[in-house]
Amino acid sequence: MQRRDVLKHTALFFGYAVSVSALSETFVACSKEANLSWQPEFLTTNQANTVAEITETILPKTKTPGAKELGVPQFVDKMLKDLLSEDEQKDFLAGLDTFEKACKEANGKSFVDCTPEQRTDFLLKQDKEAAKLPPSVWGIRLAAPGPTAFFRRLKELTLLGYYTSEKVGKTLLGYDPLPGHYIACMPLAQVGKAWNE
């Protein structure tokens, strides 16, 4: 083998080595894109992935189903698209960007890349710092409505989506009607002292 051939083969070998590592980095970067099992209607895929992780951190899977299992992120995405005005949508997206920037400043990485402990600590901090909701009666706010803080709105939608889901309604929540069942024709002997108990 001549010297020229050796140099050519060595250069090709190094070129392949560099190309393989660069290609693998490209695949790793692509795999960091959010993998969702559903298609968001309002949010981008990365935003939807962040919202999904926030909702799952608020309501994680334990003995009861978690937020992701019940489709709460899809519910939040649908509500953002169908329920909010354009100004409220812009406020929400701006709040999500601010949330991500604050998480990167606090933890050095995005919310999705944080450990579960970092996520919980960060959300607790956000919850303490977020403006409180005005008082309400039966869901109707008594004070003049102003822009709702990002974290408050997301938490509100998360809880609404979770507790109005079919599975939670059928299996977790119990309905105990008061004062009791109405039985029109009951023999007096069976009534006993029911009126007194």
Side-chain angles (χ1 to χ4, degrees):
M1 197 183 259
Q2 293 183 359
R3 181 177 167 211
R4 189 171 293 187
D5 291 333
V6 170
L7 289 175
K8 186 167 96 176
H9 291 301
T10 305
L12 283 174
F13 173 74
F14 284 123
Y16 289 137
V18 169
S19 298
V20 168
S21 66
L23 198 56
S24 68
E25 280 299 315
T26 303
F27 286 135
V28 167
C30 290
S31 69
K32 286 184 181 177
E33 285 289 315
N35 272 337
L36 295 175
S37 59
W38 55 281
Q39 184 63 42
E41 295 180 30
F42 173 70
L43 301 167
T44 66
T45 306
N46 285 334
Q47 289 170 337
N49 193 33
T50 302
V51 166
E53 294 306 325
I54 294 170
T55 60
E56 186 68 19
T57 305
I58 292 171
L59 293 167
K61 181 175 181 168
T62 54
K63 292 179 183 176
T64 59
K68 283 202 258 185
E69 186 179 337
L70 293 177
V72 173
Q74 293 93 310
F75 174 83
V76 171
D77 181 61
K78 182 84 171 145
M79 290 296 103
L80 292 173
K81 179 180 179 274
D82 294 344
L83 192 64
L84 301 185
S85 68
E86 286 184 28
D87 290 338
E88 290 173 320
Q89 289 174 343
K90 288 176 186 173
D91 286 344
F92 185 88
L93 293 177
L96 183 58
D97 288 340
T98 304
F99 176 89
E100 278 287 32
K101 287 175 186 170
C103 186
K104 285 180 183 174
E105 286 175 11
N107 299 313
K109 47 191 165 184
S110 69
F111 187 80
V112 174
D113 295 329
C114 290
T115 64
E117 295 79 20
Q118 288 174 323
R119 290 178 184 178
T120 302
D121 292 342
F122 186 70
L123 286 187
L124 287 172
K125 181 181 175 199
Q126 291 293 308
D127 192 42
K128 286 179 185 173
E129 293 174 357
K132 302 296 180 202
L133 291 173
S136 65
V137 175
W138 298 319
I140 300 169
R141 295 191 179 152
L142 300 176
T148 305
F150 162 77
F151 185 73
R152 286 278 173 249
R153 184 174 301 279
L154 182 55
K155 188 175 176 182
E156 194 175 41
L157 289 172
T158 299
L159 295 174
L160 179 66
Y162 188 83
Y163 287 108
T164 58
S165 69
E166 184 178 0
K167 187 169 185 177
V168 169
K170 286 184 174 179
T171 60
L172 299 178
L173 299 178
Y175 175 67
D176 187 16
L178 293 176
H181 297 287
Y182 174 72
I183 303 171
C185 295
M186 178 186 278
L188 191 57
Q190 289 180 5
V191 174
K193 296 182 182 178
W195 58 272
N196 194 15
E197 294 174 351

